[in-house]
Amino acid sequence: MTAQSPAQHAPGADAATTPWWRDAVVYQVYPRSFADADGDGMGDLPGITAHLPHLRDLGVDALWLSPFFTSPQRDGGYDVADYCDVDPRFGSLADADELIASAHAMGLKVIVDIVPNHSSSEHELFQQALAAGPGSPERDMYVFADGRGEHGELPPNNWTSIFHGEAWTRITEADGTPGQWYLHIFDTSQPDWNWQNPRVHALFRDVLRFWLDRGADGFRVDVAHGMVKPEGLPDAAVNAEGLLDIPEGEVPIYFDNDGVLEIYREWRPILDSYEGERMMVLEAWIPEHRLPLYIGPEEAHQSFNFGFLQATWGVETMRAAIEKPLALADAVGAPTTWVLSNHDVIRHATRYGFPPGYRFGEGLGRAETPDAALGLARARAATLLMLSLPGAAYLYQGEELGLPEVAEIPDALREDPAHLRAGVPGRDGCRVPLPWRADAPAYGFSPTGESWLPQPEEFGALAADAQEGVPGSTLEMYRAAIALRREHGLGRPDAPVEFLEDLPEGLLGLVRGEVVVLVNTSEQELPLPAGPDGLDLADAEVLVGSAEPVPGRLPADAAVWLRRR
Ligand code: NOJ
C-alpha cells in the first residue's frame, strides 16, 4: 500500500529565529500536590525546587506554576488574596526567588499563573469595597450592582456560575441592611474585578511587572476570555429548563467580549519591554474562529488548544483535532499548542479507558470504572502523537508517570468548589499528590507521610523511582520522546505535517521530516504499512514506541515513531 498525496500543513516561521515558547514542552506544576518539603501534607515551593532535577531529566523546556500566591485556598489558589506574595502554606517570596533561580540555572523557563478575572473575597481591596458604601471608588473595583425586585432582593441578572448556582451574592451593608450584589462567575469567594475601572488595569500592570522583575519568563492567563462583561450586564438567553442557553461551540454571555483583547494589547508592550522572550499563554475556552483575535504580535503569544484534549480515540477524530489547529495556526501566524491533561480535567490515562463518545460528568464518580490498562495504553499512544506535532506541548504533572484519575476520594475530603456547591465529583481526582518513591510514606510526597488528599495504593507501582531506568515505563517513554522530539526538531514548524493516506482501517499515520508516526486505534495488531514514497516501514528504525515492539507490526492501541532509512 502506498501513501498518496499527503495533506500538508506548515505554519510559516523562520526556524532560526524561533522563540523558545513556540515549540516548548511545558510542564504544569500544581504546587499543592507536587512535593511537600515541610511535611504539612501540602506541597510547597521548596518541594518543587528540590525536585527540579526530575523536570531537567524529563527534558522539558519550562515549568508553569499554578497559583502559589496568598490565598484562602477556596479554589486551590485560583482565589488570590495577594498577587505579589507567596501563601505561607507554599513558602515565602525568598522561596519563589530561589525556585526561579534554580530553574534558570538548569535551563528551565518559569511561567507564572495570573488570575485577572477575579480575586479572593479576602483580597484587601474587596474587603475595602464591602466596607465602603454603594457608589464608592472602593466598590467600583469590583462588579457590584443593585438587585432587582421591590427591595433589591433579586439578583441583578440571571447569570449562573461556572461552579453552579447563581453568579451573584448579596451583601449586608456596613449598617446591617441587606445591600448590593456582587458578581462571581466562579465561587462566592471569587468576586470578579471590574475591568471598566482604570485602577484595575493599573493594578494588574504592576502585578505583571512584579513577577517579570523577579524573573518570570511568562504568564499563563486564567479565564483569559472572562474579564470584560457586556455593557449593562444584560440577562442571558435561557432555555426551556431555565438554564443559560449556550449554543454548541459558543460561550456564556459573560465570556469572550471584545474588550478583553484590549487588555492583551495593554500587556504585550510590558512583556516586550523586558529582556528575553517573555510570553503569555491564554486559558481561553473560546470558539475557534475567535482565536485569531487573541493571538498576534500585539496580543497574546499563544492559547491552549483544548480540541486535542477533547478528541475521542479514533483516526478521524484525532486527525481532525490536529488539522484544525494547524490550519488556524496558519491563519494566526503562530504555532498551536497541544494539551492532553491539566488540573481541571479527568486525566487522559483514565479518559481513554472509557469507550469513545462516553459522556463524562464533572469529575469521575466512584461508580464509573474505566478499563485502566486500555486507558494507559491509549494515553501513552496519544502522548506520542502529541509530542510529534509542531507547536508547544503542555504536560500536566504525573502524566509522565501514567497516573490515573482517582475516583475513591471520600467526599468529606474533596475541596473543589464545584463539588461543594453542586455535589459533582469535581476535579480533586486529578490533583492527588504525586508518588515519588514506592516504599516511602505518602509515596515520598511528604517526609511525614501526610498528604492533603489520600493516595491510592496503585500509586506505589507508578512512583517515579519505580519507573526510573525501567525500559518501557511511562516515565522512560516520556523522556525518550521528549529527547527525540528535540533531536528531530519535531516541535518546530519547518517540517510539514504530512498525513499518510489510504492506510488500513484504524491506523493514523503522519510524517515529520524523517520521522514517521503511526497510531493504531484499532483493536487488532496491524502490519506496518508502506510509508511515504512506498517505503517499507517494516525495515525502519524504531525510535520510540508506546508498547512492547513486535517486529514489522504495531500492537492495538499503540503508537510508534519510526525513522525512514
Ligand atoms: C481556570 C482554572 O484552571 C481553574 O482551576 C479555576 O477553578 C478557574 N479558572 C477559576 O479561576
Coordinates of all heavy atoms in Angstrom, one line a residue, residues 75 78 118 163 186 190 220 222-223 283 343-344 427 431, ligand 1:
D75 N -10.4 27.8 46.1 CA -10.4 27.2 44.7 C -8.9 26.8 44.4 O -8.4 27.2 43.3 CB -11.0 28.1 43.7 CG -11.1 27.5 42.3 OD1 -11.0 26.2 42.2 OD2 -11.2 28.2 41.3
Y78 N -6.7 29.5 43.0 CA -7.2 30.4 42.0 C -8.2 31.5 42.6 O -9.1 32.0 41.9 CB -7.9 29.6 40.9 CG -6.9 28.9 39.9 CD1 -6.5 27.6 40.2 CD2 -6.3 29.6 38.9 CE1 -5.5 27.1 39.4 CE2 -5.4 29.1 38.1 CZ -5.0 27.8 38.3 OH -4.0 27.2 37.5
H118 N -10.8 37.5 38.6 CA -11.4 37.6 40.0 C -10.3 37.5 41.0 O -9.2 37.1 40.7 CB -12.4 36.5 40.2 CG -11.9 35.1 39.8 ND1 -12.1 34.6 38.6 CD2 -11.0 34.3 40.5 CE1 -11.4 33.4 38.5 NE2 -10.8 33.2 39.6
F163 N -19.4 27.3 38.5 CA -19.4 26.3 39.6 C -20.9 26.0 40.1 O -21.0 25.6 41.2 CB -18.6 26.8 40.8 CG -17.1 26.8 40.5 CD1 -16.2 27.6 41.2 CD2 -16.5 26.0 39.5 CE1 -14.9 27.6 41.0 CE2 -15.1 26.0 39.3 CZ -14.3 26.8 40.0
F186 N -17.3 32.5 39.3 CA -16.9 31.2 39.9 C -17.5 31.1 41.3 O -18.7 31.4 41.4 CB -15.4 31.1 39.8 CG -14.9 30.9 38.4 CD1 -14.6 32.0 37.6 CD2 -14.9 29.7 37.7 CE1 -14.2 31.9 36.3 CE2 -14.5 29.6 36.4 CZ -14.2 30.7 35.7
Q190 N -14.9 34.3 45.1 CA -14.1 34.8 43.9 C -14.8 35.9 43.2 O -15.3 35.8 42.1 CB -13.8 33.6 42.9 CG -12.9 32.5 43.6 CD -12.9 31.3 42.7 OE1 -13.9 30.6 42.5 NE2 -11.7 30.9 42.2
R220 N 0.7 32.3 32.4 CA -0.5 31.6 31.9 C -1.7 32.4 32.5 O -1.8 32.7 33.7 CB -0.5 30.2 32.5 CG -1.7 29.3 32.2 CD -2.7 29.4 33.3 NE -3.8 28.4 33.2 CZ -4.9 28.4 33.9 NH1 -5.1 29.3 34.8 NH2 -5.8 27.5 33.7
D222 N -5.3 33.0 33.5 CA -6.5 32.3 33.9 C -7.8 33.0 33.4 O -7.9 34.2 33.4 CB -6.6 32.2 35.4 CG -7.7 31.3 36.0 OD1 -7.6 30.1 35.7 OD2 -8.6 31.9 36.6
V223 N -8.8 32.2 32.9 CA -10.0 32.7 32.4 C -9.8 33.9 31.5 O -10.3 35.0 31.7 CB -11.0 33.1 33.5 CG1 -12.4 33.1 33.0 CG2 -11.0 32.1 34.7
E283 N -5.6 30.8 28.8 CA -6.6 29.8 29.1 C -7.9 30.4 28.6 O -8.6 31.0 29.4 CB -6.7 29.4 30.6 CG -7.5 28.2 30.8 CD -8.6 28.3 31.9 OE1 -8.8 29.5 32.4 OE2 -9.2 27.3 32.2
H343 N -5.1 20.4 35.4 CA -5.6 20.2 36.8 C -7.2 20.4 36.8 O -7.8 20.4 37.9 CB -5.0 21.3 37.7 CG -5.4 22.7 37.4 ND1 -4.9 23.3 36.2 CD2 -6.1 23.6 38.0 CE1 -5.5 24.5 36.1 NE2 -6.2 24.7 37.2
D344 N -7.8 20.6 35.6 CA -9.2 20.8 35.6 C -10.0 19.7 34.9 O -11.2 19.7 34.8 CB -9.5 22.1 34.8 CG -9.2 23.4 35.5 OD1 -9.2 23.4 36.8 OD2 -8.9 24.4 34.9
R427 N -12.9 18.1 40.5 CA -11.6 18.0 40.0 C -10.5 17.5 40.9 O -9.3 17.4 40.5 CB -11.1 19.3 39.4 CG -12.1 19.9 38.3 CD -11.9 21.4 38.0 NE -12.3 22.1 39.2 CZ -12.1 23.4 39.4 NH1 -11.6 24.1 38.4 NH2 -12.5 24.0 40.5
R431 N -5.9 15.8 41.1 CA -5.0 16.7 41.9 C -4.3 15.9 43.1 O -3.8 16.5 44.0 CB -5.8 17.9 42.4 CG -6.3 18.7 41.3 CD -7.3 19.8 41.8 NE -7.7 20.6 40.7 CZ -8.6 21.6 40.8 NH1 -9.1 22.0 42.0 NH2 -8.9 22.3 39.7
Ligands
NOJ1 C1 -9.5 28.0 35.4 C2 -8.6 27.3 36.4 O1 -7.8 26.4 35.6 C3 -9.5 26.6 37.4 O2 -8.8 25.7 38.1 C4 -10.2 27.6 38.2 O3 -11.1 26.9 39.0 C5 -10.9 28.6 37.3 N1 -10.2 29.0 36.2 C6 -11.3 29.8 38.1 O4 -10.1 30.5 38.4

